[in-house]
């Protein structure tokens, strides 16, 4: 996943609630809470095309927000989605950079 981050080939979407995103997220990731998908998706449609490489993550393997967000994106016709199941826990455990704020 870090290789995808470094090469900048994928848009990263954080499926967690806004408060968790604000506390810390992968630098450059976009906030797209799975439970508020309809509220936020229009903010990003200008960045996306059907084959757009997208990486979706949430807190880690114990959460299902990234799965739900992936399903919503697939339902809208996006076809190139990578699910980072280990999420923020694995990212921070590996010592990768994080940023705070919205």
């Amino acid at each position: 996943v870090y290789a995808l981050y470094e090469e900048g080939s994928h848009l990263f979407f954080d499926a967690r609630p806004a408060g968790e995103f604000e506390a810390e997220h992968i630098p450059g990731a976009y906030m797209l809470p799975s439970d508020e998908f309809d509220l936020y998706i229009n903010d990003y449609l200008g960045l996306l095309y059907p084959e757009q490489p997208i990486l979706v993550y949430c807190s880690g393997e114990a959460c299902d927000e990234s799965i739900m967000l992936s399903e919503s994106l697939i339902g809208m016709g996006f076809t190139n989605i990578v699910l980072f199941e280990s999420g923020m826990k694995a990212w921070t455990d590996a010592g990768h950079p994080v940023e705070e704020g919205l």
Side-chain angles (χ1 to χ4, degrees):
V1 169
Y2 192 70
L4 297 178
Y5 172 78
E6 290 238 303
E7 69 187 41
S9 60
H10 289 63
L11 290 180
F12 280 52
F13 282 105
D14 189 321
R16 300 173 302 152
E20 291 181 44
F21 179 88
E22 188 173 2
E24 73 176 359
H25 57 271
I26 296 173
Y30 295 99
M31 182 180 73
L32 187 53
S34 64
D35 61 347
E36 297 181 292
F37 181 79
D38 293 335
L39 181 64
Y40 287 96
I41 189 60
N42 289 330
D43 294 342
Y44 305 116
L45 290 179
L47 300 172
L48 302 172
Y49 55 92
E51 301 84 22
Q52 170 70 50
I54 297 170
L55 183 138
V56 176
Y57 70 93
C58 60
S59 299
E61 294 176 13
C63 75
D64 60 358
E65 290 133 338
S66 58
I67 295 169
M68 293 185 313
L69 178 55
S70 296
E71 290 171 350
S72 295
L73 290 166
I74 290 167
M76 289 191 71
F78 298 103
T79 60
N80 191 358
I81 299 172
V82 173
L83 180 62
F84 178 30
E85 291 181 58
S86 302
M88 277 304 293
K89 178 168 178 11
W91 185 267
T92 56
D93 286 353
H96 296 311
V98 297
E99 65 184 15
E100 298 174 357
L102 294 176

